[in-house]
Amino acid sequence: MPVPDWFTHDRFGMFIHWGLYSLPARHEWVMNRERRTVEDYERYFARFEPDLYDPRAWARAAKDAGMRYVVLTTKHHEGFCLWDSKLTDYTAVHAPIGRDLVREFTDAVRAEGLKVGFYHSLIDWHHPDFTIDGHHPRRDDPREEVDRLNEGRDMARYRAYLHGQVEELLTGYGTIDYLFYDFSYRDDDHQDIWGGKGADDWGAKELLALTRRLQPGIVVNDRLDLPGDFVTPEQYQPDAPMEIDGEPVPWEACQTLNGSWGYDRDNQNVKSVELLVRMLVDGVSKNGNMLLNVGPTGRGEFDPVALATLAGIGEWMRRHERSIRGAGPAAFTAPPDARYTQRGDRLYLHLFSWPFEHVHLPGLAGKVAYAQLLHDASEVAFREIDPGLKASLTGMGGQPPGTLTLTLPVVRPDVAVPVVEIFLTDDAAAKEAE
């Protein structure tokens, strides 16, 4: 089904990975990476008391960063539930915090005028019926021990649990705009996972039908081992607009601040504000969204690095939002080390490197009515240079036919990514809209 208009209009959202793994603070897959047993891992359940949790502060930070939807991990692969599930006691309500954290989240996000999204893991390493496979923390146990542990486990019972929890989430918290299922691994082109699970294990067709019946306007991703409303490249930037069988599809790049989704105290591999803005721009230029993750601490706060990064992105978005929101790819070819986005009759030139005085724009001669730097609305001069003009000691030579040349200030604007807003002529805008 087609994605709702808000999804391709808003372009930028916040992902929040939060659970028991925030306490060891060593990546959200810590249970898997360290081969932890359920019994050993439950030490974190007994200590989960995020007394500084303030979802209103989370929502405000997202909004101030220019994000328009927020997606929370209701349950990650560890199996711990942030809401008051009636199907298990492994929830925040039964942990020391003693509260339904999802309800507080949904109320806070809506109060800021943002769309509400849920992440929900199809995997559950805590559930007694979820069979051990090549992704499970117990995968390296002796095979006879794995066989013994799998005796009596029943994926049919787990499917009923999975569907029942999704029904709780989609009936108990008002309108849910977005659902990110994670993830299937039955057939993986990048690695061979023994006992990998896919659509049949999740009852994916029935689960998707349930999701759409309970929330008819929801947008659903592509990780049920079924086609979804959009595709989800993770931790890389696509080199072109994404397609399936030659047809363009909506997509959303899932990105992190430092390579970890959950709070990772000692991970200093933090992306700069400039790099993250460039990634956002690059995605929109290729008709994609970006979902940028923050991993709150075990006490429920965004750490100082995350807050500073979000504030930096927000400062850029405050002045340049209209090159992102409601924008998409342009039909024109951008010059080297730059990206175009377009919104109606306005073309946005994002300069990833700052040239000396001039930038040449192929195909735009005769098509531009006005140009300005977007951050301060200061005029940018432009002209066409006769292709036959020869270069002299102090005179620039001609450019290929159809080229428009902008004259920029020598000093680069002090913004993460400078943007030139180009107003197309009525004729040019109408032609590009055809």
Side-chain angles (χ1 to χ4, degrees):
M1 62 182 288
V3 297
D5 290 343
W6 71 262
F7 183 74
T8 51
H9 176 273
D10 290 355
R11 289 301 188 193
F12 191 24
M14 176 181 282
F15 219 170
I16 299 176
H17 275 65
W18 194 43
L20 299 184
Y21 44 82
S22 301
L23 295 178
R26 297 189 295 275
H27 197 280
E28 74 286 347
W29 276 54
V30 63
M31 184 180 182
N32 179 292
R33 289 181 169 188
E34 299 179 7
R35 305 337 191 234
R36 308 284 284 275
T37 65
V38 166
E39 294 75 19
D40 178 51
Y41 195 77
E42 285 183 346
R43 71 176 69 181
Y44 304 123
F45 176 73
R47 297 289 180 268
F48 189 71
E49 191 175 5
D51 55 317
L52 300 180
Y53 172 53
D54 181 0
R56 295 167 299 180
W58 292 8
R60 285 193 297 268
K63 187 174 182 178
D64 289 347
M67 297 156 164
R68 291 296 176 264
Y69 53 106
V70 187
V71 181
L72 175 67
T73 52
T74 57
K75 182 200 77 169
H76 203 261
H77 312 329
E78 64 182 4
F80 178 67
C81 305
L82 295 180
W83 80 100
D84 186 17
S85 177
K86 305 307 180 187
L87 302 178
T88 179
D89 289 340
Y90 202 50
T91 74
V93 172
H94 293 90
I97 188 62
R99 288 154 49 190
D100 185 332
L101 305 178
V102 169
R103 185 164 308 283
E104 296 176 35
F105 165 82
T106 56
D107 290 346
V109 169
R110 290 195 189 102
E112 291 296 328
L114 306 177
K115 295 284 194 298
V116 173
F118 288 162
Y119 164 110
H120 195 73
S121 175
L122 302 167
I123 300 165
D124 194 320
W125 298 323
H126 181 270
H127 196 280
D129 280 309
F130 190 89
T131 54
I132 297 170
D133 57 32
H135 261 326
H136 196 280
R138 304 296 295 274
R139 63 191 176 278
D140 293 334
D141 286 13
R143 197 54 184 259
E144 59 271 19
E145 177 65 8
V146 170
D147 291 343
R148 185 190 68 78
L149 289 170
N150 276 337
E151 285 181 9
R153 297 193 181 205
D154 185 346
M155 284 297 291
R157 285 198 296 264
Y158 176 69
R159 277 193 296 278
Y161 174 80
L162 170 64
H163 291 213
Q165 287 204 317
V166 169
E167 184 165 2
E168 287 181 335
L169 288 166
L170 298 185
T171 56
Y173 297 91
T175 299
I176 307 303
D177 303 289
Y178 175 118
L179 186 50
F180 191 111
Y181 284 116
D182 197 31
F183 63 96
S184 298
Y185 50 102
R186 181 182 59 182
D187 297 311
D188 191 325
D189 292 339
H190 294 270
Q191 53 184 332
D192 184 22
I193 304 297
W194 62 266
K197 294 179 173 63
D200 293 342
D201 300 283
W202 319 131
K205 289 182 179 178
E206 297 79 8
L207 185 57
L208 185 58
L210 174 70
T211 302
R212 298 204 187 282
R213 177 172 61 80
L214 297 177
Q215 296 282 346
I218 201 167
V219 58
V220 184
N221 74 337
D222 63 337
R223 299 195 178 190
L224 275 169
D225 197 22
L226 296 173
D229 299 326
F230 62 100
V231 298
T232 52
E234 180 176 334
Q235 300 279 44
Y236 73 92
Q237 283 294 110
D239 60 359
M242 300 203 76
E243 298 180 345
I244 294 179
D245 298 328
E247 294 295 321
V249 292
W251 62 273
E252 177 181 68
C254 313
Q255 304 290 3
T256 59
L257 297 180
N258 63 1
S260 176
W261 299 96
Y263 178 58
D264 196 341
R265 181 192 61 206
D266 301 327
N267 184 342
Q268 303 300 314
N269 194 26
V270 179
K271 301 176 183 71
S272 68
V273 169
E274 179 181 342
L275 177 57
L276 290 166
V277 169
R278 287 172 58 160
M279 291 163 65
L280 172 61
V281 168
D282 180 67
V284 176
S285 77
K286 297 166 183 171
N287 206 29
N289 289 23
M290 185 162 84
L291 189 65
L292 181 61
N293 183 76
V294 178
T297 71
R299 293 192 70 182
E301 291 185 304
F302 290 176
D303 69 78
V305 172
L307 288 172
T309 302
L310 292 171
I313 296 171
E315 178 59 20
W316 185 87
M317 285 289 286
R318 184 177 67 84
R319 292 173 171 166
H320 300 88
E321 180 178 33
R322 64 186 188 229
S323 74
I324 299 296
R325 196 88 61 227
F332 301 101
T333 300
D337 219 8
R339 300 290 188 276
Y340 278 139
T341 63
Q342 186 170 351
R343 183 169 58 85
D345 66 350
R346 302 189 189 197
L347 183 67
Y348 296 94
L349 173 65
H350 302 79
L351 293 163
F352 287 2
S353 65
W354 189 249
F356 172 55
E357 286 201 319
H358 301 104
V359 60
H360 307 291
L361 308 180
L364 282 178
K367 298 179 180 178
V368 174
Y370 188 77
Q372 63 184 16
L373 287 170
L374 182 52
H375 74 283
D376 65 357
S378 60
E379 185 177 8
V380 171
F382 56 88
R383 60 186 169 127
E384 299 173 38
I385 303 175
D386 186 343
L389 185 66
K390 292 183 179 180
S392 67
L393 294 177
T394 59
M396 184 164 48
Q399 294 296 313
T403 300
L404 187 73
T405 298
L406 304 182
T407 300
L408 300 172
V410 172
V411 178
R412 180 189 186 276
D414 187 19
V415 296
V417 175
V419 180
V420 181
E421 185 174 40
I422 299 168
F423 296 78
L424 300 173
T425 63
D426 291 343
D427 289 344
K431 186 174 183 180
E432 295 306 319
E434 290 177 358

